[in-house]
Amino acid sequence: MSQQPVHVAIAILYQKDKFLMQLRDNIPNILYPGYWGLFGGHIELGETPDVAVKREILEEIGYNLPPTVSEFGCYGDDSVVRHVFQAPLLVELNQLVLNEGWDMGLVTSDEIHQGQCYSQIAGEVRPLGPVHQRILLDFMKKGIFNG
């Protein structure tokens, strides 16, 4: 019997021409350990994706998503269905509190194309999660943000 995929809600948070990303903890038993990814997480039982993404972003970085948050798309595979939302990041990086992950930063479109970004905390260049990179490349192609 095949296992049902996990549903998660993640957010593309953009500021000018940069995107807020989380450097995931370097723990071997999580998906993409030590990779850059988008903020978000599991959708709880009975929760809708739009409610989940707001809760997850608040839990992970202490940021209340603006009312302008909207669904960007859905990316699914055998193990994970990612409900992707988009919203502008309306505060400075130093106003956010990283409660989950190793590091966070505003990643440039060049770094997204290269698939890697330097982390001050890790002290090295770390790769972007392939799915997260694809989502951001799709987002940039659509030209929704004013970058």
Side-chain angles (χ1 to χ4, degrees):
M1 191 164 116
S2 69
Q3 197 159 350
Q4 290 297 312
V6 174
H7 283 256
V8 299
I10 57 178
I12 299 169
L13 296 173
Y14 53 90
Q15 190 168 79
K16 298 189 181 82
D17 58 350
K18 295 181 179 174
F19 300 91
L20 184 66
M21 295 193 81
Q22 171 198 49
L23 184 60
R24 294 174 59 81
D25 288 312
N26 214 2
I27 304 167
N29 62 344
I30 64 170
L31 198 58
Y32 299 130
Y35 281 69
W36 288 99
L38 297 167
F39 282 98
H42 289 87
I43 299 172
E44 305 289 336
L45 196 63
E47 204 174 34
T48 58
D50 60 318
V51 169
V53 75
K54 290 174 182 162
R55 176 185 52 75
E56 283 287 344
I57 299 302
L58 189 58
E59 285 174 8
E60 292 184 356
I61 55 175
Y63 181 59
N64 275 304
L65 284 176
T68 52
V69 68
S70 62
E71 191 150 6
F72 172 66
C74 198
Y75 290 73
D77 58 37
D78 292 343
S79 56
V80 184
V81 175
R82 294 171 180 87
H83 300 266
V84 185
F85 292 84
Q86 64 181 49
L89 180 64
L90 303 172
V91 299
E92 295 303 314
L93 207 53
N94 63 11
Q95 292 179 265
L96 301 174
V97 179
L98 184 65
N99 295 315
E100 192 175 302
W102 194 6
D103 195 1
M104 69 176 163
L106 289 167
V107 179
T108 66
S109 54
D110 284 349
E111 291 167 324
I112 291 162
H113 281 283
Q114 291 162 12
Q116 59 185 23
C117 178
Y118 180 76
S119 163
Q120 201 72 45
I121 290 175
E124 62 187 6
V125 171
R126 303 296 305 195
L128 267 63
V131 175
H132 297 255
Q133 181 187 25
R134 190 174 82 231
I135 291 167
L136 286 169
L137 289 171
D138 288 351
F139 185 75
M140 290 189 298
K141 262 186 231 145
K142 291 214 164 85
I144 297 164
F145 70 107
N146 51 5

